[in-house]
Amino acid sequence: MGDLGNRNFDGAQAQPASQQPSGVSVQPPADNASQPIGVVLEIAGSGSQIALDLERLNECMADADPSIALAGQVGSQVKIKVGSSWLLASVRNQRQDRRAGGIIANIDFLGEGQEEKLTGRIHGFRRGVTRYPIPGALIYPATTSDLKQIYASDGRSNIQVGTVYPTKDIRAGIYIDAMLGKHFALLGSTGTGKSTSAALILHRICEAAPDGHIVMIDPHGEYSAAFKTNGLILDVSNLQMPYWLLNFQEHCEVLLTSHGNDRQTDADILAKCLLRARSKNRLAETMGKITVDSPIPYLLSDLSNAIQDEMGKLDKATNTAPYMRVKSKLDELKGDPRYQFMFSGMLVGDTMADFLAKVFRMPGEGKPISIIDVSGVPSDITSTVVAVLSRLVFDFAIWGRDEQTRPILLVCEEAHRYVPNEKNADGSSVGNILGRIAKEGRKYGISLGLITQRPSDLAEGVLSQCGTIISMRLNNDRDQAFVKAAMPEGARGFLDSIPALRNRECIICGEGVSIPVRVSFDNLEEVKRPASEDPSFVQLWSKSGGEEEAVWRTVQRWRSQGV
């Protein structure tokens, strides 16, 4: 491979420092961009091995161009001449080669572009490689002007979310159609700026598509503050989600408390009585045949009476215990004020079209996003509420195939709660429906956005369906390994820098970008930020006064359960 430490790249032997004329300092090359920094040693499919000259890397570090200054370092880009094209590659790792006195590095090929004859710059960059270099080919640093060409938009509609690292002026864009068409995931440990970054991306999408249809499930009530001006905020006070929209599986999750064989008995009773209650509606009479899953309004009292009637029959197959279990749970839901946003006698009217239009922003009226704050929903039915909303998105898309397609983006914060991996799976309806949207949603114009801090707790099949992955810093080894397994081969070099990312920095790879890219997110205006800032303990603990009144008010709200 040649003695890289003591040999120039044109093959001429370098003079040892002791034999150079005294008083003469070695001048760095006038133009670092045009001088090679290493050679190709080995070519292998997507990745290859190169040797880098330590002296040249040190010279590049002093360059005013930040891209050249980082040349050859892990996560940086280098270029290789192949015929009339330039190949761009990312440096994955480095190790010292003691024998040659240089550095050995592995690279991943990202794509190629044509060379402008006059300037030698790259243009017409595209992903993939048609011709590989041969061992001995020279390696050059990629300049900021090269990166500008590479990261420049190819004309597709895109949103700009930040700047390309390490530059200060190259804008990082994400292609909206490609990102939403094949789902996306935003990953990052707590405290890395994940919520603010999610708000930034959604704000940019709303600006680019003011007549869009975005539904966001917000389990902590963080995003209400971020979308006050351009979103509809729905919580337990104004959601008014009719109970009869639940399908049979969701009814079972809410009304059945038993397990094992008893659960199947209770489910059979509920199915029979629910169908009877739905059949009493005039809508059912006009439609002819309906099923237990049909979203037909029914009275809670009709369901209760049907259970009572079945319990009174002499030829029933079991004792009265199962009937009493279902009926007592139904009475509990009707009487508990925390469930009034859903199980209220006032929600019996046929409001399905109005409810869907409100939640899906059809028409948007300048507010293309609906934030559904489920933080006030009782914890035992939170996953069922998320399941109903997700299923309504899916069913609406399926039954709306004869209409003009109106794509809907469903964004799910804390996704690992709802689509857990096999170890934590409980067979809930929300995991089933979100898994189905991940696999089949794009055929019907549904895009899924998953936001999570624990990707390793997420169902593996769901993450692999996300065509674009935006990864912020992940502190956990298991999470890092999980994300690496889900990402495309060419992004591996970038992935090694995931633990070293700063706050509000990320790696974006997949369909939404031309090539994997490290991005510093833009600052978001105060009014557009979610309410997820970490409290300053020192600052807050240095103030006093009004504690007794605050405790009293908190107790009042606690006792009333927000009602």
Side-chain angles (χ1 to χ4, degrees):
M1 90 183 173
D3 196 356
L4 281 167
N6 299 324
R7 191 178 291 274
N8 288 335
F9 292 112
D10 58 6
Q13 187 76 24
Q15 254 190 323
S18 58
Q19 294 176 18
Q20 288 174 358
S22 60
V24 178
S25 60
V26 180
Q27 294 296 317
D31 182 7
N32 278 316
S34 62
Q35 301 292 325
I37 57 171
V39 293
V40 174
L41 295 181
E42 181 187 337
I43 295 292
S46 61
S48 301
Q49 200 174 69
I50 60 171
L52 296 169
D53 182 7
L54 198 53
E55 193 178 324
R56 281 289 295 121
L57 293 189
N58 288 332
E59 287 167 0
C60 287
M61 279 181 197
D63 202 282
D65 185 331
S67 303
I68 295 176
L70 278 178
Q73 295 182 32
V74 172
S76 68
Q77 279 80 48
V78 293
K79 59 184 186 181
I80 306 162
K81 189 78 179 294
V82 182
S84 61
S85 303
W86 282 109
L87 267 187
L88 191 81
S90 168
V91 179
R92 189 196 301 181
N93 54 33
Q94 290 181 341
R95 73 174 189 275
Q96 189 176 14
D97 183 13
R98 296 185 189 282
R99 191 160 53 88
I103 292 171
I104 302 293
N106 289 94
I107 57 171
D108 297 308
F109 292 119
L110 300 173
E112 62 188 3
Q114 297 302 309
E115 180 186 28
E116 284 182 359
K117 286 285 178 274
L118 292 173
T119 62
R121 288 180 180 171
I122 297 174
H123 73 97
F125 183 83
R126 62 187 183 277
R127 193 188 292 192
V129 178
T130 48
R131 273 179 69 191
Y132 286 97
I134 56 170
L138 299 179
I139 311 278
Y140 295 86
T143 66
T144 294
S145 59
D146 290 333
L147 296 182
K148 269 184 183 157
Q149 286 292 321
I150 289 157
Y151 292 116
S153 169
D154 59 9
R156 291 181 284 168
S157 55
N158 64 88
I159 51 169
Q160 297 196 340
V161 293
T163 52
V164 175
Y165 178 86
T167 68
K168 294 281 184 282
D169 56 345
I170 300 181
R171 300 295 289 152
I174 304 177
Y175 298 117
I176 303 182
D177 288 343
M179 178 174 85
L180 300 186
K182 292 185 180 170
H183 312 313
F184 71 93
L186 173 58
L187 318 169
S189 295
T190 305
T192 55
K194 190 168 73 281
S195 301
T196 310
S197 305
L200 170 70
I201 291 168
L202 291 175
H203 273 298
R204 293 285 192 268
I205 293 173
C206 289
E207 287 160 15
D211 294 314
H213 312 293
I214 306 170
V215 180
M216 176 160 203
I217 311 290
D218 176 13
H220 301 305
E222 294 177 322
Y223 293 89
S224 306
F227 293 93
K228 286 194 292 273
T229 55
N230 61 343
L232 175 70
I233 314 300
L234 297 168
D235 56 22
V236 289
S237 66
N238 63 347
L239 181 59
Q240 293 180 309
M241 186 165 89
Y243 56 85
W244 47 263
L245 282 177
L246 275 66
N247 67 13
F248 178 60
Q249 187 185 359
E250 291 149 4
H251 268 93
C252 289
E253 286 184 6
V254 174
L255 290 170
L256 303 189
T257 54
S258 52
H259 299 281
N261 294 336
D262 287 347
R263 191 174 181 86
Q264 188 55 54
T265 306
D266 294 6
D268 293 341
I269 291 166
L270 180 59
K272 195 172 184 181
C273 298
L274 184 58
L275 188 57
R276 262 181 64 185
R278 287 199 197 274
S279 302
K280 287 197 172 185
N281 191 296
R282 258 190 259 121
L283 263 176
E285 292 169 15
T286 58
M287 293 176 70
K289 194 168 177 61
I290 66 161
T291 71
V292 73
D293 285 332
S294 301
I296 304 285
Y298 69 88
L299 289 167
L300 287 170
S301 56
D302 282 346
L303 178 57
S304 187
N305 292 339
I307 296 169
Q308 190 78 43
D309 292 348
E310 287 293 319
M311 185 165 59
K313 285 183 179 175
L314 295 172
D315 60 347
K316 59 180 181 288
T318 178
N319 59 17
T320 57
Y323 298 91
M324 290 305 295
R325 277 198 297 265
V326 180
K327 191 171 183 303
S328 60
K329 182 65 178 176
L330 181 61
D331 292 340
E332 181 192 321
L333 293 177
K334 281 161 64 178
D336 192 331
R338 295 176 304 155
Y339 297 88
Q340 288 300 293
F341 75 96
M342 191 173 181
F343 289 94
S344 164
M346 306 296 289
L347 298 174
V348 73
D350 184 11
T351 54
M352 186 172 179
D354 295 336
F355 180 76
L356 294 180
K358 176 174 75 170
V359 172
F360 299 162
R361 311 308 303 134
M362 296 181 182
E365 296 166 345
K367 295 186 173 185
I369 184 168
S370 62
I371 304 292
I372 300 173
D373 175 3
V374 294
S375 59
V377 174
S379 57
D380 56 332
I381 64 162
T382 304
S383 65
T384 307
V385 170
V386 176
V388 175
L389 293 165
S390 307
R391 183 181 52 77
L392 289 175
V393 171
F394 191 68
D395 286 352
F396 180 82
I398 286 179
W399 296 109
R401 279 174 297 182
D402 293 342
E403 306 291 329
Q404 181 191 347
T405 304
R406 298 184 190 278
I408 298 174
L409 167 59
L410 176 64
V411 184
C412 196
E413 173 71 271
E414 296 281 354
H416 59 276
R417 279 194 200 179
Y418 307 119
V419 215
N421 56 20
E422 284 181 21
K423 190 175 73 177
N424 301 318
D426 53 2
S428 64
S429 53
V430 68
N432 295 339
I433 188 60
L434 287 175
R436 195 171 173 202
I437 289 174
K439 294 184 185 80
E440 305 168 31
R442 62 192 186 89
K443 299 174 192 168
Y444 305 109
I446 306 172
S447 177
L448 186 62
L450 301 175
I451 305 171
T452 179
Q453 58 198 3
R454 291 306 308 269
S456 60
D457 287 347
L458 201 63
E460 194 169 354
V462 171
L463 189 61
S464 63
Q465 295 288 338
C466 294
T468 305
I469 293 181
I470 304 164
S471 180
M472 305 184 79
R473 188 174 70 248
L474 290 165
N475 301 327
N476 185 290
D477 289 346
R478 206 155 55 92
D479 291 333
Q480 291 166 21
F482 195 78
V483 173
K484 282 183 185 181
M487 281 200 179
E489 187 70 30
R492 297 289 160 87
F494 286 85
L495 295 180
D496 291 332
S497 60
I498 282 180
L501 291 172
R502 299 190 188 101
N503 283 1
R504 293 183 39 259
E505 271 190 1
C506 71
I507 306 291
I508 308 177
C509 70
E511 301 294 330
V513 284
S514 315
I515 57 170
V517 57
R518 180 171 170 178
V519 175
S520 298
F521 279 120
D522 289 339
N523 273 321
L524 199 55
E525 305 95 280
E526 195 74 42
V527 70
K528 292 182 176 179
R529 285 184 200 165
S532 58
E533 295 291 311
D534 294 331
S536 166
F537 284 81
V538 173
Q539 194 178 347
L540 293 172
W541 281 353
S542 61
K543 297 175 184 174
S544 67
E547 288 96 335
E548 288 178 2
E549 294 84 352
V551 170
W552 188 84
R553 288 193 299 269
T554 302
V555 169
Q556 292 304 308
R557 285 195 294 272
W558 195 341
R559 282 182 174 151
S560 65
Q561 298 282 295
V563 177

